[in-house]
Structure formats: structure tokens, C-alpha cells
Amino acid sequence: MHLGGYAFGIFPRSEHLIDISRSGSGFSEAAGKESELLIKAQKEFGTTYVDDPQLVWDDLFRPMLLTQKGFTINGITRYFETNTFYKQPVIEGKIEYAGGVEQYLSLQGNPSLIALPDPFSFFCMSKNIWYNDDATLIRDLGKMLARISGDLKKYGYKLLVLKGPMYAMRDASRFREGIMDSLHEIRDSFSGKVIVHTYFGNPKINAKILAGSSIDGVGIDPKFVSKSDMQLYGSKDISLGAVDGLNTRLEKIDELKAMLSGLKGKVDNIYITNNVDLEFLPQSFSISKVKLIGEAVRVLNDEAI
Amino acid sequence: MMKLFKTQEIGSLKKPSWLLDYLKGKASDEEKKEALDEAAFLNVKMLENIGLDYVYDGEARRVEMYELPVRNMDGFEFAGRVRSWDNRYYKKARVVGEVKYRTNYHLDEFLFVKSIAERVPKVPVTGAYTIMDWSYNEYYKDRVELAMGLAKIVRRVMAELANNGAPVLQVDEPAATTHPSEMDMFTSVFNEQVSGINAKISTHICYSGDDYSSLMPHVAELKASHFALEFANRDRNELGVDEDSRPGYRALKAFKESGKEIGLGVLDVHTDFIEPPELVRDRILYAVKVLGDYSKIYVNPDCGLRTRKRKIAFEKLKSMIEGVRLAEQAIK
């Protein structure tokens, strides 16, 4: 079994950057500098992939809504069971790729991982007032995300995380073909590794779709998924969200080791990751969590876990 | 003309800019206290002059609904700020030890309001479940244990308020319906924190995300006689008292069976749109149609108005009172 580790998703801003974001001037420059520091820190901690901290992303959808065709932005909606809100995408026209997402990337420092919304979750969390046919809508979202993924490839990203919490919430079987095609197109276009991260529940109901798709791995939250359910994804990589992005309490390496036990020989590639974006923690705590991921990988590999 | 509907505010108003400037400046502690008294006085009198039956001080002295209680309890350490949305953040604390009562963080403000109010004072108090949900738990075995620990503190705060003459306590629980699977636990915690309190218990729950579908089965069991809820945020702005015109108020049907009082949210606090009195009237008349008993209907904004400029809040509340009078005329 190969063991790696990475943090994914939107990082929290520092207290200093929060103050700047609220003052209205110099934010982009300050966010760029802070992103570089966060990227450097991950490299020092030795995580397998280095996350683009996405500090200028106001939520997981916003850069797409501001740059691609077919969207407007609605009022705030609660992000699942957190006390953080996102602005809901409203689909008011045909969705088409229009470029421009590169302005939201933290290219200085050369991160190797970036997270985008998965097409099924994007569909479920949007308000559609234009498409008559949901399958077409999912395919168009997939095409747009595939084109964006193609751009990301050019900038050197090696791992694309697709944030797919809705796989743990809703039966996707009705949209199976559209989802499979979209994931295939994204995987094809990105050409690096693609892992769909599910969280806030057990994606068991959609395991066949995820296992049968072209993606390389599935991210799961061990709070919700038993070890036997982790084996529903065939030969896919498993990203174990053992590090809790919703609580400041720092996990112990022995706890992570216990979560991994029993998976040896059953999963080829396993990564220790956070379960949800780290932006639900203040920045200093999120950095400790990333450091822990790096340490855990080193220690547990030494112990030949 | 006899009033049919009681009216109320939910709690917070935007702090006057002069107060913020003053508090940041070099004034002495005594001068700052005077400024806070003055802001509280002006808020109470503004709400009374608009015509509200239940009033408070616009939470003029409170830093924020979560931060204030946490600052006044043992067992917490502030961790830092976490995003609410976009560039808006709130301070979040870690529970690192046993949570304990330290001081009554509302008593002085209530005594001041009581000394000046000519209408009924209603004290907003942040509920235990919400404080638990918005904190990081590093100490307690689970969420229930932490929430029950907090419930004991909130109960003591409320008991002291009641013993000092607070006639109505509004338990603010915006996190209540955030975790639908925990509604049984929420109900136990809520009932624990209000048990034995000698005052009318109201609760305010907003932005549930599920149109209150997880709350409604528990309304009868919750030991609150009054539920101030948010509806206007999800409603249309066209006039009408039929079901299609009032999609934001669908949850009322399920509420009817409880027989409890409703605090009907008729003002959307997230927009500067001033709801015309006729729209307020129709929202109330629809509620009367669904609930049947107008004596159980109080009228209020969806939530605290602190996100709106003071002038906008004033205009919205004024329009709300005019709408209430129109509804009363229509019924008579």
C-alpha cells in the first residue's frame, strides 16, 4: 500500500488578510503573498501534493460564476450544516466556457493541487431557470469544468480535487450517464490525477457511479464511512479525510494510524487528507492540521503502515 | 381602534456611527458608559415612537450575539475569525475546559431598559444549542454534553433576568435547524435551559434552510409559548392573500396544530426594500387565514435589523406598523 497525504480546498485567510479584505484596498497583492507562504509551508511539511490555497475565492463557485457564461449570482445559502454561507449559482442561460479562471489561481509558488466543484454537486446546489433537461445541464457543466481543467493542466497542477458533497446526500442514479460522461471529460482534459472528495455523509448510495467512472480516487470522511464501505470503490485511490476541518482539536498520529488499520492489502493508494475545506478553522489551526498530515505520512511510512 | 396584533422587534439594530467612533476614541470608561446608555435610550424610544408593543435597546451594548456570552463564561478561548460569507467573519471560540457561569452578561442592560421603557421589554438571549454549535469542542465527550453544560449557564442568566422583572425572554437559536438529525437533542437542551424560569419564553429561529420542516414536529414539545420566525425572506413581494402569492409562509400550516403564538416575520432584513404597508397587511391576512386565530399572531421583522442602515430599519418598522393597522381595519 502506498501512503501519501495532502490538504485540499479553500484555506482560511489570516487575521491580517481578513482585515485587508474588509478595508477594500490591496487585497489581491496581500492574498498573493500569503498564498505563497501557505504553499511554501506545505512544501516544508512534506505533503504529497501542494494545495492552491484559493484565498481570493469567496466560495467554491464564485470564480466560475464571475467568468463563465450562463450564470448569475443569487443570495446567500447555508453550506450544508456549517455556519458558513455561499452565494447560490443561478443558471439563466446556456453554460459555456469563457476562460478567465486563471486570474483566481495562486501560480507563484507552483502549487500542484487545486479543488473545483464536481459537476453533480454544482448541479444540485444551483438554481436552474433555463434548462428544461437536467441531463443536458449536467453535461454542459461537465464540459465547462473540463475546459477549465484543461487550462489548469497548463499551469502545472497535478491533482484535481472535485468537491462532491452531494454524492453523500442524494441518489445520483437518475443522472448516471451525464455524470459519468462529465467526469470522463474532465479526467481526459486534465490528464493528471482526479479525485472526487465526498463529505458530510456516506456516498455509498452512489458508490457504483464513482467506482465505474474515470476518476482516479474517492475522498471519504471516516466519521461517516465504515472500513468495509471504503472498499466499494474497487481499485480507486482512497483519500481518507481523517483530519477534521471542522474542529480545532488536533488529531494524534496514533488516531490516524487506527483509522488506516485494516486497509493494508485492500487499497493500493491511500492519502491522509482533511475531510472538508480548512476554511472552517482559523488559519493558525489549519496550518497545524496540514503539518500533522505531513508528519503522519512520514511517521506512518517509516512504520511501514 | 382596538389593536388586534402585538408588534415587536427581534433584537439588534445597527450601532450609530457616532457611538462606534466614540468607543474607539480616547473617552474615559465613564464617558463610554454614558454614550452606551444614550444609544440604548435612543433605540428604546425610537422603537416605542414607531409604535412597537415589545421593545429592547437594539442590543446597543452587545459586541455580537455569540461573542458576548462566550466572553463571559469560563471554559472558552477565542480561536480566531471564521468566514460567514464573502468578507464577513465572526469570532469563533474553542471549548478547552468545563464551561461555567462567570457573570450575568445581560442583567445591567436589562435593568437600564426596564428603567426607561414604557412598553414591555423583551430580552434576547443567545441559546445554549447555538453557542455549542458555533464553538469548537475540544473538551467535552460530545455535543450533547457541551450543550447541556451551556444550558445550565443560560438558564441561570435567564432566571436572574426573570427574578429582576424581565417579563419576556427571547431565546435566540439560529442554529436550531442546522442539523436536522439533532432536533431531539435540540429540544432536550432547549427545555433544560428554560426549565423553572418565571417569565414568558419566546424563541427566535431563522434561516433554517428547510422551510422549518425539521422544526415543526418539535414545536409542541418545546417549552416556549411563542415562536418568532422568519418568512418574508422567502416570500414574493406582490400583493395577495392566496397561497400562490405567499410562498414564503407555507410553514404556517404545519405550525397551526401547535396552538402556540407565532411571531410573524414580515420584513426581509437582508434588503433595503421597504415593504409597503399593503404587502405587510397581506402577509398578516394570509397568516390569519391559515391559523384562524389572530390573537396568536404577533408581527415582527424576520430577524434583527442590524445589517440595515438605521434610516432603512426605521422606515421598514414604520411601514410594518402601518401594515398592521391596515390588516386590523380589513379584519374589522
Side-chain angles (χ1 to χ4, degrees):
Chain A
M1 182 175 78
H2 169 262
L3 177 67
Y6 61 84
F8 74 90
I10 300 176
F11 267 66
R13 297 169 183 168
S14 67
E15 295 287 326
H16 172 66
L17 191 59
I18 291 169
D19 288 338
I20 291 178
S21 74
R22 293 169 66 86
S23 74
S25 63
F27 174 68
S28 294
E29 193 188 348
K33 283 183 185 162
E34 192 162 302
S35 297
E36 266 192 85
L37 291 174
L38 290 169
I39 289 166
K40 192 175 164 207
Q42 292 176 76
K43 287 179 178 172
E44 284 170 7
F45 297 150
T47 55
T48 314
Y49 294 97
V50 175
D51 186 40
D52 182 323
Q54 298 178 299
L55 295 178
V56 297
W57 292 48
D58 282 335
D59 58 48
L60 78 168
F61 299 117
R62 199 71 55 81
M64 272 74 72
L65 308 190
L66 293 171
T67 53
Q68 309 306 300
K69 289 182 186 166
F71 298 104
T72 56
I73 302 172
N74 213 353
I76 59 171
T77 301
R78 189 181 290 280
Y79 190 63
F80 298 94
E81 296 190 4
T82 70
N83 194 33
T84 297
F85 297 77
Y86 66 96
K87 288 196 171 163
Q88 189 188 36
V90 179
I91 296 158
E92 60 155 25
K94 182 169 172 55
I95 295 165
E96 287 179 297
Y97 167 82
V101 172
E102 63 276 4
Q103 62 192 292
Y104 298 95
L105 306 178
S106 308
L107 297 173
Q108 287 185 335
N110 302 314
S112 56
L113 183 172
I114 190 159
L116 293 177
D118 136 85
F120 177 59
S121 296
F122 205 140
F123 158 72
C124 294
M125 294 166 76
S126 299
K127 183 177 177 184
N128 167 31
I129 54 173
W130 196 82
Y131 284 84
N132 293 320
D133 171 28
D134 290 341
T136 309
L137 166 54
I138 291 174
R139 282 177 204 278
D140 281 358
L141 280 168
K143 282 182 184 140
M144 174 197 79
L145 290 166
R147 292 284 304 275
I148 293 171
S149 305
D151 291 344
L152 296 174
K153 170 188 157 187
K154 286 182 225 155
Y155 292 110
Y157 294 96
K158 306 267 189 306
L159 170 61
L160 174 63
V161 163
L162 295 175
K163 294 197 271 191
M166 292 309 297
Y167 290 111
M169 309 273 159
R170 197 178 288 183
D171 181 359
S173 54
R174 195 157 64 89
F175 310 107
R176 181 187 170 92
E177 296 306 317
I179 292 169
M180 300 278 265
D181 289 349
S182 293
L183 293 177
H184 181 76
E185 201 163 346
I186 291 168
R187 175 67 183 79
D188 206 35
S189 179
F190 182 64
S191 83
K193 191 172 270 210
V194 176
I195 297 182
V196 171
H197 270 257
T198 69
Y199 39 92
F200 299 136
N202 188 342
K204 188 178 182 177
I205 192 169
N206 294 308
K208 282 186 182 164
I209 294 176
L210 294 169
S213 73
S214 310
I215 58 169
D216 300 275
V218 179
I220 45 104
D221 185 340
K223 271 194 292 191
F224 301 101
V225 182
S226 67
K227 281 178 185 158
S228 60
D229 282 353
M230 288 179 202
Q231 292 163 46
L232 295 172
Y233 304 95
S235 59
K236 304 280 188 217
D237 296 352
I238 291 291
S239 290
L240 192 69
V243 174
D244 192 356
L246 296 171
N247 200 346
T248 45
R249 181 186 167 276
L250 193 63
E251 291 79 3
K252 295 184 172 65
I253 289 183
D254 279 351
E255 293 169 343
L256 306 183
K257 187 176 170 181
M259 290 185 210
L260 291 166
S261 73
L263 293 173
K264 196 172 181 179
K266 293 171 183 159
V267 180
D268 293 334
N269 281 323
I270 193 154
Y271 296 97
I272 296 172
T273 70
N274 43 318
N275 53 353
V276 298
D277 298 62
L278 292 167
E279 72 160 338
F280 305 109
L281 300 170
Q283 196 187 69
S284 59
F285 292 90
S286 74
I287 290 171
S288 300
K289 297 257 177 180
V290 182
K291 189 176 179 189
L292 171 74
I293 292 173
E295 276 175 15
V297 171
R298 203 164 42 251
V299 169
L300 297 175
N301 270 323
D302 286 350
E303 291 182 13
I305 289 294
Chain B
M1 186 173 70
M2 200 181 81
K3 286 181 180 177
L4 297 181
F5 303 105
K6 297 279 197 313
T7 53
Q8 58 188 355
E9 221 280 301
I10 293 299
S12 62
L13 292 171
K14 196 176 185 68
K15 290 183 173 55
S17 50
W18 58 263
L19 177 66
L20 294 172
D21 290 345
Y22 204 78
L23 294 176
K24 282 180 203 159
K26 289 180 181 168
S28 66
D29 286 351
E30 195 172 329
E31 287 169 327
K32 285 179 181 174
K33 185 185 173 302
E34 274 178 29
L36 288 166
D37 283 350
E38 195 169 325
F41 178 84
L42 290 171
N43 282 345
V44 171
K45 292 302 155 190
M46 180 181 86
L47 297 175
E48 288 181 340
N49 288 338
I50 288 171
L52 298 181
D53 299 300
Y54 290 79
V55 296
Y56 207 57
D57 66 352
E59 302 181 11
R61 301 168 200 274
R62 300 188 186 183
V63 56
E64 194 266 337
M65 68 175 291
Y66 168 77
E67 194 176 336
L68 176 70
V70 165
R71 272 189 194 181
N72 288 283
M73 293 177 190
D74 287 334
F76 287 92
E77 277 180 15
F78 278 100
R81 283 179 284 182
V82 174
R83 175 138 67 187
S84 184
W85 75 89
D86 289 8
N87 294 333
R88 288 176 186 267
Y89 287 79
Y90 68 101
K91 271 193 186 168
K92 202 163 165 174
R94 304 153 62 209
V95 179
V96 294
E98 187 182 352
V99 293
K100 286 181 191 161
Y101 172 98
R102 195 189 303 147
T103 179
N104 193 313
Y105 40 90
H106 292 324
L107 188 57
D108 287 347
E109 88 184 3
F110 164 68
L111 292 174
F112 180 82
V113 173
K114 185 183 161 191
S115 73
I116 59 163
E118 293 170 53
R119 305 283 167 83
V120 185
K122 174 176 65 92
V123 192
V125 179
T126 307
Y129 181 87
T130 293
I131 297 172
M132 176 278 293
D133 188 54
W134 291 0
S135 302
Y136 300 115
N137 175 20
E138 296 191 30
Y139 180 81
Y140 285 88
K141 173 183 82 191
D142 55 30
R143 289 163 63 84
V144 188
E145 198 177 83
L146 170 57
M148 281 298 185
L150 290 163
K152 288 184 178 69
I153 301 172
V154 175
R155 186 174 62 206
R156 179 167 169 187
V157 167
M158 291 202 293
E160 288 170 358
L161 290 166
N163 293 341
N164 279 277
V168 187
L169 297 167
Q170 174 187 288
V171 185
D172 290 335
E173 289 282 20
T177 55
T178 311
H179 307 277
S181 63
E182 288 185 351
M183 286 308 296
D184 286 337
M185 189 257 271
F186 166 72
T187 304
S188 304
V189 171
F190 187 92
N191 290 344
E192 174 69 19
Q193 73 188 339
V194 300
S195 68
I197 306 290
N198 186 24
K200 177 178 175 178
I201 300 295
S202 161
T203 185
H204 169 58
I205 298 170
C206 54
Y207 308 108
S208 75
D210 64 358
D211 211 4
Y212 294 115
S213 61
S214 54
L215 172 69
M216 290 305 163
H218 297 268
V219 168
E221 200 187 337
L222 285 161
K223 289 180 183 164
S225 57
H226 182 106
F227 287 72
L229 304 181
E230 149 265 332
F231 297 102
N233 172 59
R234 283 169 280 128
D235 198 37
R236 297 172 59 193
N237 290 332
E238 286 77 28
L239 300 183
V241 295
D242 59 296
E243 203 170 317
D244 289 343
S245 306
R246 302 277 66 92
Y249 292 79
R250 286 193 187 120
L252 284 174
K253 285 182 185 167
F255 188 81
K256 183 181 179 182
E257 297 308 311
S258 72
K260 295 191 174 182
E261 287 177 3
I262 187 88
L264 191 74
V266 297
L267 304 178
D268 181 356
V269 303
H270 286 138
T271 164
D272 285 348
F273 170 68
I274 309 293
E275 289 81 354
E278 293 77 11
L279 177 60
V280 172
R281 173 198 65 198
D282 285 1
R283 287 173 173 167
I284 297 168
L285 292 178
Y286 177 75
V288 172
K289 202 161 89 171
V290 172
L291 299 174
D293 182 357
Y294 50 76
S295 70
K296 297 271 171 61
I297 301 173
Y298 287 50
V299 181
N300 44 257
D302 271 355
C303 193
L305 279 156
R306 78 183 174 112
T307 58
R308 305 272 57 90
K309 287 180 181 165
R310 291 176 66 84
K311 184 174 181 303
I312 299 288
F314 175 84
E315 294 295 341
K316 277 180 170 271
L317 289 169
K318 205 160 143 280
S319 191
M320 181 179 92
I321 296 293
E322 287 172 31
V324 169
R325 300 289 95 89
L326 290 179
E328 288 167 341
Q329 282 170 19
I331 288 168
K332 286 177 177 169

